[in-house]
Structure formats: C-alpha cells, structure tokens
Amino acid sequence: MKKQLLFMAVAGLFSTIASAADLYVRENDANAFSTVSAAIAQASDGDRIIIRPKANNAAYIENLTINKSLTLVSETAYTKYFIRGTVNINPLAGRVVTISGLSSGNFTIYNIVATGATTGGRTTINLYNCYLNNVDATPANTTTNMSGCTVNGYVYFSHGRMTGNNVQSMTAYNTSSDTSLAANDIEITGNAVSSWIGSQQTSYNFKFYNNFASGFGIYNTKTSGTNEIVNNTIYDPNGGDIAPIYIGLNGDPGTGGNITIMNNAISFVVAQTNACIQTNGVANVTATYNVSTNAFVTEGTITQSNNTGSANMNFNNTTYTVTGANVNAGNPAVQYTDLDLTRNDAGHKGGSNSFTNYWPADSGNRAQINYLNVPRVITGGTLNINGSGFSK
C-alpha cells in the first residue's frame, strides 16, 4: 500500500509539471493566436506565451489584463515584440507574472500597472529586457523585479529588486504598508537613472548600490530600519533647490532609522543649496569616504569621517563614467574591495556590486548579472552563493 501511495504521489507531481503549456502568438498563422489577449484567455497558470514580433516592428494594438501566473517572451532572440496598450496585472496571492522582451513604444499613456493590493500573500512581477514607458507597481504586497529594461518615464514599486536598468526616475513607494511582508530588503543596484532614486515607503530597509543618478531623495523609511546609499555616482549638471542627497522625513529624532552614506562620488551645480547632504535629524545619518568635486558641505546632524571635498573628477552621464580622485578613495576595508582586488573606488564602479556587472544591458550575446546574493564578510561556517543571469 505504501508503494502504491508513493507511486500515485509521484505520478501526480509529473502530471502537474506536464500541465504547463506553450501558447504561440503570431501574425498570419492559422495555427497560432492572432492576439495576445486571446492567448491569455486560453492560458492556464504556469503557461508560457511566446510572441512573434510583427514585421516592420508593427504593434499588437491591445490592452492586456493578466489575471493568471504567466510568462510572456519573444519568439525571436534579441528582438522585442511591440504591444501598443497598457498591461494591467491583477493581484492574487502567489501569482507570478514574468514579462520579457516587451516594447511599449513611445506612448506615455501605455504602462505596466499593478491594479490593486494583494490579500493574504504576495503578487510577483518580473520585467526583463523590456522597453517601457512607465511602471506603477505601488499597491501593497507586490514584489517587482526588473532587470535590463529601458523605461522612458518613472518606475514606482512598493518592494523588489532593480538591477541594470536605464530609467528616468525610480522610487520605492507604497500606497499602503505591506501586510504580508517579503523576506528581503528593497534593492536598487547598478542602474542608470537620469533623474532621482528615492524611497517613500515604510515597510522595508533599502539598499541603494552602484547606481549612476542625479540624486537621492529619502522621504519615508522603515521605523528603526537600517539603510544604505553606497558606491553610487551622483552627477547633477543642472542644480536644484535641495542637496543631491536629501533626507526629509517626518517624525521624532531617531525614528527614521539609520542611513549609511558611503563611497559615493558626487558632483553637482550649486543652485539653492551648496550642501552635498541634507537631513532634518529624524534619521541617524553616517557619511564616510564620500568624494565630491564640490566642497563637502552638509546640513543637519550627520556623523562624518574621511569625506573629501573639492576633488578633481570627471563625470560623463552618456558613457556613465567617473575618473580622477575617486580611484582608491573609498573605504579601505577588504569587504569593499573592487573587482580587481584593489581598494574601493568611490562611485558606481567600485566594490563587488560594480555597475560593470550589469552593463551593457540587453545587447546581443552579452550576459548580464540579474542578482547575486553574496555576503561581504564571512567568518567561519559555509559560504552559500545564489546567482542568476540572462542574455536575452
């Protein structure tokens, strides 16, 4: 009887695995779906929808509502399928939607949208190697992982991991606090952001590593959380009314948690303020081993050491490079060592999370890292490394 039960369990497992199917969407093919919406309607959870790009980059003109766990991919390697419409992802606990190789065209009204909060669990959205207009995934209990994408406008997400994207602005923002908490922090690593990277959420710690951006704006944090802005290049040739690293929180002193600002390369045009960092004292801010072409001026209560001002550096926000006094100027501790095993270079290419791990993104056969989970320091025990990558 035990053997029979075991056989039935194994058979059930293979039956579940075998149930996933590939559905094809192709123009002028009687054996495939002619629209993506039709394929979604016929699909079951776990299915993959393979979309052939239309000739001459023509669009599938349709708004999509994804209400199942599905994967959408291009049938042609390194060629995106063009959908002229908004992609609405309906939430459900345990739902996972993966979209790879989508182009939304240059239409600002067509976006990726999570349509509401998830109850009793989490919805996961994965966006890989897409060309998008805007992403709005702010509802509670939604994790958005985005890698290798170009976004013409904003990215708002309540939780997730952003790696190797080229976007206008990127903000961790929640419309309401999560009730089914994710196990990991918010991570924004190795992105090129023409405007600002921000945090305006209260559910998670944030880790902002190795980005090239014009500034950071922190408007909300997890109470008593531990947050990091480390090894970024901050270049603002236009100037503004606040410092390029701005921490403006509501609450009593200390309730904003801890924010470490370290190993950043900074250059900005002085406008309303000449401060590199501004804070109002709600968070406990520590600034060390930052290098700036401006005088290293701060506003608010900040614990400081080993910061350098009036340094000679050259910045290029087209090639995403910084050279000069930032070389070997970061924290000398071994855990911040560069990929070539020399002392940390302040800026986005320094340290093990170097920007060069993620770029160039979506360029033919060039592989890019999606995510590495590697501790900076290990003493005793066993080192476990988890990684994933993509080249399509």
Side-chain angles (χ1 to χ4, degrees):
M1 180 62 71
K2 289 183 179 178
K3 290 183 179 179
Q4 183 179 4
L5 289 174
L6 176 62
F7 173 77
M8 291 174 63
V10 172
L13 172 63
F14 281 107
S15 175
T16 300
I17 293 173
S19 66
D22 287 344
L23 288 73
Y24 287 83
V25 179
R26 294 169 175 162
E27 184 181 27
N28 302 321
D29 186 341
N31 296 315
F33 295 96
S34 60
T35 67
V36 182
S37 297
I40 292 172
Q42 291 296 313
S44 300
D45 281 331
D47 286 353
R48 183 172 62 161
I49 297 176
I50 302 172
I51 305 166
R52 176 179 291 177
K54 286 189 177 183
N56 301 315
N57 197 35
Y60 293 92
I61 302 176
E62 50 184 316
N63 294 314
L64 303 183
T65 296
I66 301 178
N67 54 4
K68 303 164 186 175
S69 289
L70 298 174
T71 297
L72 279 63
V73 299
S74 175
E75 186 176 5
T76 306
Y78 312 118
T79 302
K80 294 177 174 62
Y81 52 92
F82 179 11
I83 295 178
R84 184 175 168 182
T86 292
V87 179
N88 295 291
I89 299 172
N90 291 350
L92 186 70
R95 177 163 291 161
V96 178
V97 175
T98 299
I99 301 175
S100 176
L102 163 67
S103 172
S104 297
N106 293 310
F107 298 92
T108 58
I109 62 173
Y110 301 133
N111 305 316
I112 302 287
V113 179
T115 60
T118 305
T119 302
R122 301 191 63 78
T123 298
T124 300
I125 301 170
N126 301 312
L127 304 172
Y128 300 137
N129 287 327
C130 295
Y131 181 86
L132 307 172
N133 293 301
N134 300 293
V135 176
D136 187 347
T138 58
N141 306 321
T142 302
T143 290
T144 305
N145 304 310
M146 189 170 76
S147 192
C149 294
T150 296
V151 183
N152 292 324
Y154 59 78
V155 176
Y156 285 105
F157 67 108
S158 60
H159 171 267
R161 181 183 299 127
M162 305 282 134
T163 57
N165 303 289
N166 190 332
V167 308
Q168 185 181 90
S169 66
M170 184 176 286
T171 304
Y173 178 91
N174 58 357
T175 51
S176 59
S177 297
D178 280 7
T179 53
S180 298
L181 291 172
N184 53 350
D185 296 329
I186 288 172
E187 299 183 22
I188 298 179
T189 304
N191 301 278
V193 182
S194 57
S195 185
W196 281 55
I197 294 173
S199 175
Q200 195 167 345
Q201 55 78 39
T202 58
S203 297
Y204 301 97
N205 299 322
F206 63 78
K207 313 295 183 188
F208 297 162
Y209 298 147
N210 295 87
N211 302 284
F212 194 109
S214 68
F216 290 86
I218 311 304
Y219 297 94
N220 239 333
T221 59
K222 178 182 177 182
T223 300
S224 302
T226 301
N227 309 287
E228 295 183 278
I229 302 173
V230 175
N231 267 116
N232 301 280
T233 294
I234 301 163
Y235 177 59
D236 185 358
N238 301 310
D241 57 354
I242 57 176
I245 301 178
Y246 177 77
I247 303 165
L249 307 174
N250 296 318
D252 298 323
T255 59
N258 304 290
I259 302 176
T260 297
I261 302 171
M262 181 173 63
N263 298 347
N264 300 290
I266 304 168
S267 183
F268 62 99
V269 170
V270 174
Q272 300 296 319
T273 178
N274 66 341
C276 297
I277 305 171
Q278 286 178 298
T279 181
N280 61 2
V282 174
N284 301 314
V285 180
T286 302
T288 59
Y289 293 100
N290 300 288
V291 183
S292 175
T293 59
N294 305 69
F296 201 85
V297 176
T298 62
E299 294 182 14
T301 302
I302 299 174
T303 302
Q304 303 184 51
S305 66
N306 299 294
N307 298 299
T308 302
S310 303
N312 184 16
M313 292 183 288
N314 297 304
F315 294 73
N316 189 311
N317 59 356
T318 300
T319 58
Y320 307 120
T321 56
V322 54
T323 57
N326 65 301
V327 175
N328 295 331
N331 192 319
V334 67
Q335 61 262 42
Y336 301 107
T337 297
D338 289 343
L339 295 177
D340 62 2
L341 303 183
T342 60
R343 176 176 168 173
N344 183 281
D345 291 347
H348 64 304
K349 294 191 176 182
S352 60
N353 281 307
S354 176
F355 186 89
T356 55
N357 285 329
Y358 306 93
W359 292 81
D362 191 22
S363 58
N365 294 320
R366 299 297 295 274
Q368 311 98 49
I369 291 173
N370 184 330
Y371 179 67
L372 288 176
N373 183 14
V374 183
R376 284 203 173 103
V377 177
I378 181 170
T379 56
T382 302
L383 172 62
N384 296 311
I385 300 176
N386 299 315
S388 62
F390 61 88
S391 60
K392 179 179 177 182

